Amino acid sequence: MNRPIDLRSDTVTKPTSAMRRAMAEAEVGDDVFGDDPTVQRLETRVAEVLGKEAALFVPSGAMANQLAVRVHTQPGDEILLDANAHIYFYEAGGPAALSGVMCRCLAGTRGVFTGADVAAALRPADVHFPPTRLVCVENTHNRGGGKVWPLDRLSEVATTARQHGLKLHLDGARLWNASVASGVPERDYAALFDTVSVCFSKGLGAPVGSALTGPQKLIERARRFRKQFGGGMRQVGIIAAGALHALEHHRERLAEDHANARRLATALAEMPGVDIDPATVETNLVYFRVTRVPAADLVARLKAADVLVLASGPDTIRAVTNLEVSAADIETAIAALRTALR
Ligand SMILES: *Cc1c(COP(=O)(O)O)cnc(C)c1O
């Protein structure tokens, strides 16, 4: 039977057999009582990798981000973030619904903005204005095409934010990809931020789970809000074991996903009716524009050839390399794309 080559997302991967074994054998307890040793091991380990005091295991990246917004703000505050930020674009209005804050969007380039952009968006201390409280950064930037923030630019944004007394949160759902691509350790990025969220279920290939990391006191507050948001979980070590396995075994291999994405982008650039600059493909996300067929038609043609991608707009397609896609699969996908575009 033909297995489809699934390039829709890096969230589609299924747990490997080694991961399933780790999950089956996990020691568990009631984590709401603080009794789950596997969750505790995961939280300790992820805090260590990111150089933070503490970590909290949560069901999703959206919950990790929304908990961060919640602990840093009061209702009526304003947060600054790129107009294409996941927190603003893809989290179902969470900042408004869960924290009662306003989002002020910055016009970044592929998700990357400047210290001057932050300074220009600050509100004067005046009774008319919502207090600006928090800056959120996303690295790698999803809608920015997996863009890696240059460390010096991050540092500039952090310095400006600190000068004005703002808090900083990093949406690091794909921080692992940023580190593998740039060689900058996760903890060096994380050091610039108060809180950092990371996902285990994207490129790392765990079935479920994210973490919020930061200072002990803030993470304790986040633990209360996690319960309030309905995210207190019981014998969740079963799930945490998959995340821990992913963290220990699947980080370095992201380099393969990046090489596969580059190969795909380079081949796409040579196809008629495709618009892509392969130089913009730094990690595992490949976005391209189709100029001769509607994106939805191309998606359907590829699906008939057992290659799955997503239309991310009327004329844009997203293809994401992942743990289950080999270099040979990429060659198959390239051949299918050539045929489908004909
Ligand atoms: C996937 C993703 C998240 C979290 O998404 P969930 O589906 O809630 O786990 C957060 N930020 C970015 C940039 C993402 O790509």
Side-chain angles (χ1 to χ4, degrees):
M1 196 188 75
N2 249 0
R3 171 178 69 88
I5 297 170
D6 198 342
L7 295 163
R8 289 172 302 166
S9 178
D10 46 9
T11 57
V12 299
T13 59
K14 302 197 175 84
T16 62
S17 43
M19 188 183 285
R20 282 179 188 269
R21 222 173 303 122
M23 295 172 75
E25 290 165 5
E27 264 189 277
V28 298
D30 189 328
D31 185 54
V32 175
F33 291 166
D35 283 352
D36 193 302
T38 306
V39 171
Q40 284 163 12
R41 272 170 55 216
L42 173 65
E43 289 179 345
T44 302
R45 181 66 184 131
V46 70
E48 181 180 84
V49 170
L50 293 171
K52 293 293 185 202
E53 249 173 42
L56 180 69
F57 186 51
V58 295
S60 70
M63 189 183 284
N65 284 333
Q66 296 304 325
L67 285 173
V69 173
R70 187 67 189 82
V71 297
H72 288 305
T73 62
Q74 298 291 330
D77 285 350
E78 187 166 74
I79 70 174
L80 303 180
L81 73 187
D82 177 71
N84 281 302
H86 195 279
I87 292 174
Y88 177 70
F89 213 94
Y90 288 131
E91 297 185 10
L98 303 171
S99 297
V101 297
M102 312 228 310
C103 286
R104 181 99 177 266
C105 290
L106 307 177
T109 304
R110 300 182 58 219
V112 176
F113 47 86
T114 64
D117 293 334
V118 170
L122 288 167
R123 306 289 199 170
D126 179 299
V127 74
H128 289 89
F129 302 122
T132 313
R133 198 71 71 192
L134 173 69
V135 178
C136 297
V137 170
E138 188 174 315
N139 190 25
T140 67
H141 201 282
N142 183 341
R143 288 178 59 83
K147 170 78 185 158
V148 180
W149 271 73
L151 188 60
D152 55 352
R153 180 62 72 78
L154 265 188
S155 167
E156 172 198 307
V157 163
T159 302
T160 307
R162 298 282 177 221
Q163 278 166 356
H164 295 94
L166 306 182
K167 299 293 184 189
L168 284 145
H169 171 67
L170 174 61
D171 177 354
R174 293 191 182 82
L175 189 62
W176 323 113
N177 296 84
S179 284
V180 163
S182 65
V184 175
E186 290 89 350
R187 56 170 50 230
D188 290 6
Y189 289 122
L192 298 168
F193 294 86
D194 298 288
T195 51
V196 179
S197 60
V198 289
C199 286
F200 306 110
S201 61
K202 297 268 166 89
L204 295 194
V208 181
S210 290
L212 180 66
T213 68
Q216 182 78 39
K217 261 200 157 136
L218 275 184
I219 295 304
E220 280 321 308
R221 255 165 67 72
R223 193 177 291 279
R224 182 181 298 270
F225 287 122
R226 181 184 70 174
K227 193 78 179 84
Q228 188 182 81
F229 290 3
M233 300 175 288
R234 303 295 178 172
Q235 285 72 23
V236 71
I238 297 260
I239 302 296
L244 193 55
H245 181 91
L247 183 64
E248 303 300 15
H249 300 284
H250 291 171
R251 267 191 287 155
E252 284 172 20
R253 66 149 304 286
L254 292 173
E256 295 170 36
D257 295 349
H258 298 176
N260 287 339
R262 268 196 306 278
R263 165 69 186 131
L264 177 60
T266 310
L268 277 165
E270 282 164 11
M271 293 182 203
V274 172
D275 183 17
I276 183 175
D277 176 1
T280 61
V281 176
E282 298 175 41
T283 55
N284 68 328
L285 306 183
V286 181
Y287 284 88
F288 59 96
R289 214 164 62 80
V290 282
T291 55
R292 297 181 190 174
V293 284
D297 290 7
L298 185 62
V299 170
R301 286 183 208 173
L302 288 170
K303 188 172 179 198
D306 272 332
V307 174
L308 309 181
V309 296
L310 282 184
S312 56
D315 62 352
T316 55
I317 304 256
R318 185 178 97 147
V320 185
T321 57
N322 63 65
L323 180 57
E324 290 181 6
V325 176
S326 67
D329 290 337
I330 290 295
E331 298 309 320
T332 307
I334 289 168
L337 271 155
R338 279 203 190 102
T339 307
L341 282 161
R342 224 169 258 150

